[in-house]
Each structure stands twice: as structure tokens, then as C-alpha cells.
Amino acid sequence: RASPDPNQYSRAVDWLSRYGYLPPPDPRTSKLQTKEGIEQAIRVMQRFGGIQETGLMDKETLKLMSTPRCSLPDIVGGEDMRRRRRRRKR
Amino acid sequence: YALSGLKWHKTDLTWSIHSYPTSSVSQGMVDTLIAHALKAWSDVAPINFRRQQSDGSRGEGGGDIRVSFAKLLHNDGYPFDGEGGTLAHAFFPGLDEVSGDTHFDDHEIWSYGGDGSTTDLFTVAVHEFGHALGLSHSSSDPSIMRPYYQGPVEDIRKFKLELDDRLAIQQLYGARDNAETDQPGVGVDPDPPLFPSPPPRRPTKYPELSFNERCQGSFDAVANIRGEVFFFKGEHFWRTKRDGSLVSLRPALITNFWMGLPTGTKVDAVYERKIDSRIIFFIGSQYWVFKDTTAMSGYPRPLSDWKMRTQSGELVDRVDAAFIWAHNGKTYLFSGGQFWRFDESQNREGVIKEPDQQYPRTNDLWGGMPTHMDDIITWGEGDAYFFKDNFYWVLENGGINQEYVSPKSTSIDWLRCPAPPTTSTPEIPGNPKQCVCAF
């Protein structure tokens, strides 16, 4: 399986962040996304979009990512809420 | 559907158009499309939209939902990206100045019912007004609130929101009185009624059981389910938590908690299956498999699935007790003074069980235990607890044929009953002539 080209990869990460599937990048900590984190985000995006859940940037996923859409995020404050909930538990 | 958590706390909303697209749709057509897009929502929810003339500025005026067409950066912190990509966005309801505002990317070629090279303004507007009213993106298909562009509709005058969208908006604002969904049988929409009539009220009926009922013992069944011990008697049960305290001194109705069991019966035996935590109930010659507190479909099934035959070859028609022995993880079923052993680590999905060979055996193999017990559980460090009448006996982990086991009081130790001033002593199983001062 060929790995996606770096530009495509970075565009996809940007797309996933913009629509709420990945936490927004934090320039202070230069936070890197883990491979598993991105894969999971792709799965959620695929599930939300009603296409096969592969966790991979396959043809269908790239097609969906390039479909014109509304600019509001699909997952609103998911990561923030999860973080807040964890903090409250602690 | 998904809700943003925000809504308008009024149902009379105003709207205005502050700029028009540079593409070929006429201003009149834009007005019509926007009005129809709002009407899609007001058709099904008691919201009234009133157009307000724009003063042409981005200031205070213009009402609740202010529509504009803009390119790239347009002073709201959410720039557009040229043709394609993002098409539009709207702000959720609230008290902010921008709340309800709806922006369309003017780099798109907006159209009404155009081909694939243009973007249909009506469907995008219906979607964005969903946001302006408080809806988030939906993953349902069909739904106008899916985030991706879905193309034009055939006739905007006949456009009707899908069930997912109707449920969402009516969750926020209620249903309009004359909404089609409120008139079952009208039209051809095969959707189910929006909000099914609630079942008749079922006020909690407190059982007429006396305090003594709990303390008299003689339970039909006792089971360790997820670390809590359930005592079943007649149509009721009591439940002790992991720390040994009772959830309530009052009994609960079995059929109010364990959904799917028949009323007017009593439970013979219950156990929690080890491999998948399903809960198995035996009542008469039938059994039920529960996932959590609900019976799985396909049950009850006949007890004959378990292929338990007595030593004289007859099929067993009821179960007295059931438990999983921590010592070996095997399942044991008891009936009429005999017991059968099952290995449930195999045959996970199948309903037909085969007892292990050389079974049944007689209950007196469990030395020191009552031979006709009410039920058995595994508890504590893997010890087996045998319950009979108002007593229980503990068979230490892995032990069998213990010489003498002292019975203890179920009601005192498990059901928080006071110790009686004097008590009669139970017979010792296997040696009924010997007396014991148990208390």
C-alpha cells in the first residue's frame, strides 16, 4: 500500500482539525499527532460521512474530503470537552 | 441529529439580506430562495419568520438572521476559501451580535436548480438556517444537516424536511400544530409518528410485603450478578451491593427491572454466564438469556436445549439452582437432587448445550451442603454459598465433601435483619439427628 504524499497528508490533517476530528494544533507545544490518533480521527470522519471505516486516507476518503461543504465543524468541542471531563474527574 | 445546545428563546424571528451574490441569480430569485429555505423550517416548527429591510450596514440593524454573500476574509474570523471547499456558514442562536448570521461564499457560482458546475443556493440555505436555528451537523442520511453539499432539489415548493431534521428542530421548538407529522394518515409520508404517545403512567406500586417477608428467607433464587447479590422471592427481589449493604429494604418488582420476564411467575434459578456476562433465568421448563436487564430476542426457549436427562433418562423440566464454580469455571445446574456440569467456554453462540459426560451426579457429593438447596452462588474468594430456607452454608474454594459446615443466617448476614432473641436450629444436611447451636 503506497503511503500518501506528504502534502496530501498535511492537507488531510488540516482538514481533520478544521472540522473537529483532531484537536487544533498548539504552536506553543508543537504538539504532534500520533499515527493512531490520526487513524482514529479518519475512522470517525468516515463513520460520520457514511463511507467505509478503514482508518486510511483511501480514495473514498479523499473524495469526501474534497466535496464542497459547510464550514462549521462536524464535531464541536469534542477534544476540549473530553479534556475538561478528564480534568473534572481528577 | 445533533443540537448545538443553543436556541432562540422566542419564536418570532426576523431576517434580512445585506448583500447579494455576484453570480447570475437575480436579487428577486435570491429573496425567493431564502424565504423558501426559511419556510422549510417554519413548516414543521412553530417559528414565524418576518423579513426586515436591511439598512445596508453590518451594524445593529437587520434582525436575527442576517444573510450576506462575501469573499475570503469578511470580518467574522472565518474566511472563505474561494470556489469549492467551504460554501457557507452560519452562527448559532444567542445574544452575540453575530448570532444567527448566515454567510455564503461569493466565490461560488450560486444557482437555482443548476447543473453540477454550480451550487444550489436553496439547499445550502436550508442547511445554514438549520445552524442559525440551533442545529449542528448530522451524520444521518437523509438529512439536510449533513455537512456535505447534496445538490439541488426538484421543486422547492414541494420540499419537505426529512424526519431527522424535523425531529431535531421540533426537539428545540416543538411541532407546529398543523405540521403534517401531527396528522397520522395524511399524505404519503411513511415516517413513524414524531413522538409516540407515552405509555399510561405506571406509578410505583410498593409491594404489600411485610418487613418479615425479607427476613423469613426461603428465596426462590439467589444470584451473584456483576458482584451484587440478588434475592428473588415470588414477584419481587432484594439486591445487596458489593459492600454488603442493601440497595433498599423494600423489594422491587422483578418484571419492572428485568424486562421480558413473564408476570405472575417465580424465578427458579439465575446465574451470570462467565464468557459474555449474559444473565440466564430459569422459570419452569423455559429459560431466558438477558443482555443487561433486557431479555434477548428469541427467548424464552425450552429447557430441553440443555439436554439434561435424569439418571432414569427423563428430560429435566425445571432447575432448582444454577451457579458457576470459581474453582473450575464450569456451570452447574441442579434439579431434583441431581446436578449437571457444563463447559460454556465452547459453543458460545449456540443454544443447544451438552452436559459433560458422567453427569448427572447426585447432590450428596457436595458434602456438608443441603441436598435440595434454593440456590447457589460463588462469592468472596471463590467460595460457593449454598442457600436453603433462611440459612446458608459456605463451601470453601475448591473444597467438596467438607466434613462439617456450620450454617449461618441469610436474613441477618445478607438482608440486614435483626437477630432473633432465640432461634431454632436447622438440620445439618447429611446428619439430621445432630443439633447445632448456630447462633
Side-chain angles (χ1 to χ4, degrees):
Chain A
R1 190 181 289 136
S3 46
D5 78 70
N7 273 344
Q8 193 180 59
Y9 176 83
S10 120
R11 276 202 305 274
V13 168
D14 179 48
W15 191 100
L16 291 166
S17 307
R18 193 182 318 151
Y19 296 116
Y21 296 100
L22 278 174
D26 184 345
R28 288 168 304 174
T29 55
S30 302
K31 185 179 172 184
L32 286 171
Q33 312 288 1
T34 63
K35 183 172 171 286
E36 290 75 17
I38 292 168
E39 213 174 277
Q40 181 56 28
I42 294 172
R43 280 181 189 281
V44 177
M45 174 265 180
Q46 289 167 331
R47 198 182 315 145
F48 201 102
I51 59 173
Q52 198 188 347
E53 270 181 61
T54 60
L56 302 170
M57 240 106 79
D58 48 29
K59 210 172 132 190
E60 278 293 290
T61 307
L62 290 169
K63 189 177 158 202
L64 195 58
M65 283 179 169
S66 60
T67 303
R69 55 164 291 155
C70 172
S71 54
L72 262 63
D74 301 336
I75 313 289
V76 182
E79 182 65 19
D80 284 352
M81 267 155 55
R82 277 196 293 275
R83 233 181 270 154
R84 226 174 288 150
R85 221 174 290 144
R86 270 202 297 270
R87 217 175 292 144
R88 209 179 304 142
K89 264 188 194 163
R90 253 183 253 141
Chain B
Y1 60 83
L3 305 176
S4 67
L6 298 163
K7 61 176 274 190
W8 296 103
H9 293 284
K10 56 185 178 182
T11 49
D12 290 322
L13 300 174
T14 53
W15 63 279
S16 56
I17 300 179
H18 291 253
S19 59
Y20 286 88
T22 49
S23 50
S24 59
V25 190
S26 70
Q27 292 196 2
M29 179 57 79
V30 171
D31 291 349
T32 303
L33 294 175
I34 295 294
H36 270 85
L38 289 166
K39 183 176 175 294
W41 295 103
S42 61
D43 276 349
V44 294
I47 309 166
N48 304 307
F49 292 109
R50 184 172 55 83
R51 184 165 186 187
Q52 204 169 65
Q53 285 309 312
S54 159
D55 61 3
S57 75
R58 293 291 307 126
E60 290 293 316
D64 302 309
I65 295 174
R66 297 181 299 184
V67 175
S68 60
F69 291 77
K71 290 175 180 170
L72 304 174
L73 289 164
H74 53 282
N75 299 321
D76 67 354
Y78 301 93
F80 285 127
D81 56 358
E83 192 177 345
T86 57
L87 304 176
H89 54 233
F91 291 84
F92 293 129
L95 298 172
D96 293 335
E97 195 189 317
V98 293
S99 300
D101 285 8
T102 304
H103 302 160
F104 297 88
D105 185 349
D106 197 20
H107 267 125
E108 310 305 332
I109 303 167
W110 295 104
S111 65
Y112 165 46
D115 60 18
S117 64
T118 61
T119 307
D120 185 71
L121 178 58
F122 173 75
T123 50
V124 175
V126 175
H127 175 102
E128 296 307 329
F129 293 146
H131 290 314
L133 292 169
L135 273 55
S136 283
H137 283 152
S138 171
S139 58
S140 287
D141 189 9
S143 162
I144 198 71
M145 293 314 292
R146 297 189 80 211
Y148 304 99
Y149 176 61
Q150 299 178 50
V153 294
E154 278 187 9
D155 183 350
I156 62 168
R157 289 166 303 180
K158 290 182 184 166
F159 176 79
K160 286 192 176 80
L161 290 169
E162 297 291 347
L163 177 65
D164 186 70
D165 306 312
R166 295 203 303 269
L167 289 171
I169 197 70
Q170 290 175 350
Q171 181 71 28
L172 291 179
Y173 300 99
R176 186 173 274 284
D177 285 343
N178 61 354
E180 177 191 289
T181 48
D182 289 338
Q183 299 172 32
V186 175
V188 291
D189 195 339
D191 294 338
L194 265 184
F195 298 108
S197 307
R201 278 170 57 80
R202 289 191 309 170
T204 304
K205 285 185 196 159
Y206 290 110
E208 298 294 322
L209 295 180
S210 68
F211 156 84
N212 282 332
E213 193 71 19
R214 185 180 97 250
C215 298
Q216 281 168 357
S218 294
F219 296 102
D220 300 327
V222 184
N224 172 359
I225 300 170
R226 320 248 159 104
E228 299 185 346
V229 182
F230 289 69
F231 293 86
F232 297 87
K233 189 172 188 177
E235 294 189 303
H236 304 102
F237 73 91
W238 290 264
R239 177 180 176 184
T240 63
K241 292 191 282 188
R242 286 166 186 269
D243 62 3
S245 63
L246 269 178
V247 169
S248 169
L249 293 177
R250 283 183 185 278
L253 260 179
I254 292 171
T255 48
N256 270 5
F257 185 84
W258 300 101
M259 304 296 185
L261 287 181
T263 53
T265 56
K266 65 184 190 65
V267 173
D268 291 329
V270 187
Y271 77 96
E272 181 184 350
R273 195 155 68 189
K274 195 178 175 189
I275 46 162
D276 55 7
S277 293
R278 299 279 193 266
I279 300 149
I280 322 294
F281 280 78
F282 296 94
I283 298 178
S285 59
Q286 294 179 310
Y287 73 102
W288 283 253
V289 176
F290 272 67
K291 183 177 184 295
D292 303 322
T293 59
T294 308
M296 296 178 70
S297 66
Y299 291 92
R301 286 194 55 86
L303 194 57
S304 54
D305 282 353
W306 295 75
K307 299 208 167 177
M308 288 187 288
R309 288 188 181 275
T310 62
Q311 283 169 341
S312 54
E314 291 160 10
L315 269 174
V316 165
D317 62 358
R318 57 163 286 141
V319 170
D320 297 331
F323 88 119
I324 291 180
W325 200 12
H327 164 62
N328 57 9
K330 301 278 175 70
T331 306
Y332 290 79
L333 301 190
F334 297 75
S335 180
Q338 298 175 17
F339 69 99
W340 291 256
R341 192 179 77 181
F342 295 84
D343 181 355
E344 291 190 288
S345 60
Q346 311 297 324
N347 188 31
R348 187 185 176 116
E349 298 301 331
V351 291
I352 307 298
K353 332 279 181 185
E354 284 282 355
D356 286 352
Q357 286 186 352
Q358 298 174 350
Y359 287 85
R361 295 183 181 183
T362 52
N363 288 359
D364 54 17
L365 276 173
W366 302 84
M369 300 293 125
T371 50
H372 288 78
M373 68 295 286
D374 293 331
D375 215 336
I376 309 169
I377 62 169
T378 288
W379 186 253
E381 302 296 313
D383 301 333
Y385 285 57
F386 285 61
F387 292 85
K388 173 73 177 170
D389 297 334
N390 203 4
F391 298 96
Y392 70 98
W393 290 255
V394 181
L395 186 66
E396 285 167 13
N397 188 8
I400 194 165
N401 207 12
Q402 285 171 217
E403 265 187 20
Y404 170 69
V405 183
S406 170
K408 296 174 184 169
S409 166
T410 305
S411 59
I412 296 171
D413 293 354
W414 291 90
L415 291 145
R416 296 286 169 261
C417 296
T422 56
T423 180
S424 60
T425 54
E427 288 181 352
I428 300 171
N431 192 0
K433 287 177 188 156
Q434 188 180 339
C435 292
V436 165
C437 297
F439 310 111

